Amino acid sequence: MTTETTTEKPGISAAVIVKDGRVLMVRRRVSESELVWQFPAGQIEPGEAAEDAAVRETVEETGLVVTAIRLLGERVHPKTSRAMSYTACEVVQGEARVVDEEELDAVTWVSHSEIADYVPYPLYEKVQGYLDDVLLH
């Protein structure tokens, strides 16, 4: 039996992308515990910055070209026990769609009031604070 810690698995970087008063959510083909809808995200490659991974994963999964604005925060995810980084991003070009059909089966833009319908538990407080700032003001 092996005991695996979060430091042995690559970290995951998520892109928090806001456009026209909505945040981009993607639906995974295979859910991780309660995670069905989430932000575009994927593993950080060796030597890659979390912000760069968020940008890369967004284009690979959704075809949407984004640029990193700033790292919002990092934590160990309470549902998956994975090291997570969250990066605020803005759209440069393109329309979000399912590009990586092995990983995703849907994408959608969600208003602030709809977030709880897609994510049935509280968001990371730094992400929630950012979304409150940009979607409610």
Side-chain angles (χ1 to χ4, degrees):
M1 187 169 162
T2 62
T3 55
E4 197 169 61
T5 64
T6 55
T7 56
E8 292 170 345
K9 288 184 179 179
I12 302 293
S13 186
V16 182
I17 306 159
V18 172
K19 179 183 175 187
D20 300 327
R22 294 178 179 268
V23 63
L24 182 64
M25 302 290 287
V26 299
R27 187 171 63 197
R28 300 268 165 219
R29 283 202 177 276
V30 178
S31 63
E32 288 186 82
S33 67
E34 297 173 57
L35 294 176
V36 178
W37 285 96
Q38 56 193 251
F39 304 116
Q43 290 189 8
I44 301 169
E45 295 177 352
E48 185 177 41
E51 298 91 332
D52 295 336
V55 168
R56 177 183 50 76
E57 286 289 340
T58 299
V59 105
E60 288 176 2
E61 291 182 355
T62 71
L64 193 64
V65 179
V66 299
T67 187
I69 300 171
R70 67 183 166 96
L71 184 66
L72 297 174
E74 299 176 316
R75 70 170 177 170
V76 174
H77 197 285
K79 303 289 183 185
T80 65
S81 299
R82 296 290 296 268
M84 290 288 307
S85 299
Y86 299 86
T87 300
C89 297
E90 63 184 7
V91 176
V92 175
Q93 68 181 32
E95 295 295 324
R97 64 193 192 285
V98 174
V99 171
D100 187 341
E101 294 180 358
E102 289 182 17
E103 284 200 33
L104 306 181
D105 69 3
V107 300
T108 192
W109 292 95
V110 178
S111 70
H112 187 277
S113 63
E114 297 171 316
I115 292 170
D117 296 337
Y118 288 84
V119 182
Y121 49 84
L123 294 177
Y124 174 43
E125 64 271 5
K126 292 182 180 181
V127 170
Q128 186 67 59
Y130 173 74
L131 291 175
D132 291 350
D133 285 346
V134 297
L135 295 177
L136 296 179
H137 300 109

